[in-house]
């Protein structure tokens, strides 16, 4: 069953240093393991993402100690500071047996919903977005979260897939889904369609 809390921890790495940072980061995680914690590398750039499932907010203290060690280990090879988000589970159109999808790839799909439209948006997405992903064989997991702490507040979908990214993306570039995106931008999303972003990552251990 998907985790009730997720911490996303992402950083941009200097060109040519991603393998080194991943090796050091993985080594630290092996010394002080946290159940379910998983490293990913962006398929589009040298960003590295770590997703950590939590069962309780009290676990953040231990994570903070690990983050200080991580900073000491890899900061010289970074071009940005770490960007962290704490997310709370809402629902799962396609749930998983583990706290996180164990698929080779994950996609983060983020939108900021107009607060006055949030209840209507929840109802609308059940018969639109969720209907599409439930029917799509390419989508192996689709988990809906909402930000608890973030400089980018809003809805975050964590989607898992095992096929090549181009095949997976075809689900969301279809005419049917593009109509859904337009509907969302017209009514629900802060800033219209520009208020939506998607990012794809590959697990570092596959």
């Amino acid at each position: 069953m998907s985790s009730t809390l997720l911490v996303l921890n992402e950083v941009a790495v200097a060109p040519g240093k991603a393998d080194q940072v991943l090796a050091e980061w993985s080594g630290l995680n092996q010394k002080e393991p946290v159940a379910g914690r998983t490293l990913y590398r962006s398929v589009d750039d040298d960003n590295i993402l770590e997703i950590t499932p939590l069962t309780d907010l009290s676990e953040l203290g231990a994570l903070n100690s690990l983050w200080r060690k991580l900073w000491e280990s890899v900061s010289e090879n970074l071009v940005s500071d770490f960007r962290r988000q704490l997310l709370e589970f809402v629902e799962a159109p396609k749930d998983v047996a583990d706290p996180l999808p164990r698929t080779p790839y994950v996609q983060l799909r983020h939108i900021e919903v107009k607060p006055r439209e949030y209840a209507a948006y929840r109802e609308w997405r059940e018969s639109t977005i969720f209907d599409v992903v439930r029917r799509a064989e390419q989508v192996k997991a689709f988990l809906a979260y909402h930000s608890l702490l973030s400089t980018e507040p809003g809805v975050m979908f964590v989607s898992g897939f095992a096929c090549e990214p181009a095949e997976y993306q075809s689900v969301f570039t279809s005419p049917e889904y593009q109509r859904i995106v337009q509907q969302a931008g017209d009514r629900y999303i802060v800033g219209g369609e520009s208020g939506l972003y998607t990012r794809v990552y590959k697990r570092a251990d596959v």
Side-chain angles (χ1 to χ4, degrees), residues 112-122 146 184-192:
E112 183 178 351
V113 178
K114 298 173 183 177
R116 67 178 180 274
E117 297 286 358
Y118 185 71
Y121 165 78
R122 287 281 306 275
H146 198 276
D186 290 344
R187 178 175 177 183
Y188 301 111
I189 302 177
V190 173

Side-chain angles (χ1 to χ4, degrees), residues 44-169:
D44 297 315
D45 51 38
D46 287 325
N47 279 24
I48 295 174
L49 168 70
E50 181 182 66
I51 306 181
T52 303
L54 302 180
T55 57
D56 191 86
L57 291 174
S58 62
E59 298 171 62
L60 285 172
L63 269 186
N64 190 38
S65 175
L66 296 176
W67 290 336
R68 286 196 294 269
K69 295 176 183 178
L70 179 62
W71 174 267
E72 294 168 0
S73 177
V74 304
S75 58
E76 290 186 0
N77 292 320
L78 306 180
V79 295
S80 77
D81 205 338
F82 291 91
R83 287 164 169 77
R84 299 184 178 113
Q85 302 186 57
L86 176 62
L87 308 176
E88 183 177 37
F89 178 80
V90 177
E91 56 190 329
K94 280 191 175 179
D95 207 350
V96 290
D98 298 305
L100 292 178
R102 305 311 300 167
T103 50
Y105 294 95
V106 297
Q107 183 186 54
L108 301 182
R109 305 181 64 86
H110 174 270
I111 63 172
E112 183 178 351
V113 178
K114 298 173 183 177
R116 67 178 180 274
E117 297 286 358
Y118 185 71
Y121 165 78
R122 287 281 306 275
E123 182 176 349
W124 170 84
R125 75 183 186 184
E126 175 63 35
S127 60
T128 53
I129 298 171
F130 292 176
D131 179 57
V132 169
V133 300
R134 287 190 180 107
R135 289 187 278 114
E137 293 183 0
Q138 298 93 326
V139 182
K140 303 303 181 185
F142 202 84
L143 316 174
Y145 286 83
H146 198 276
S147 59
L148 278 180
L149 293 172
S150 176
T151 57
E152 295 181 326
V155 172
M156 183 71 81
F157 298 127
V158 180
S159 181
F161 63 100
C163 57
E164 288 301 310
E167 181 182 349
Y168 168 82
Q169 296 282 20

Side-chain angles (χ1 to χ4, degrees), residues 2-14:
S2 49
S3 179
T4 55
L5 296 168
L6 291 182
V7 175
L8 308 184
N9 186 22
E10 185 169 8
V11 73
V13 178

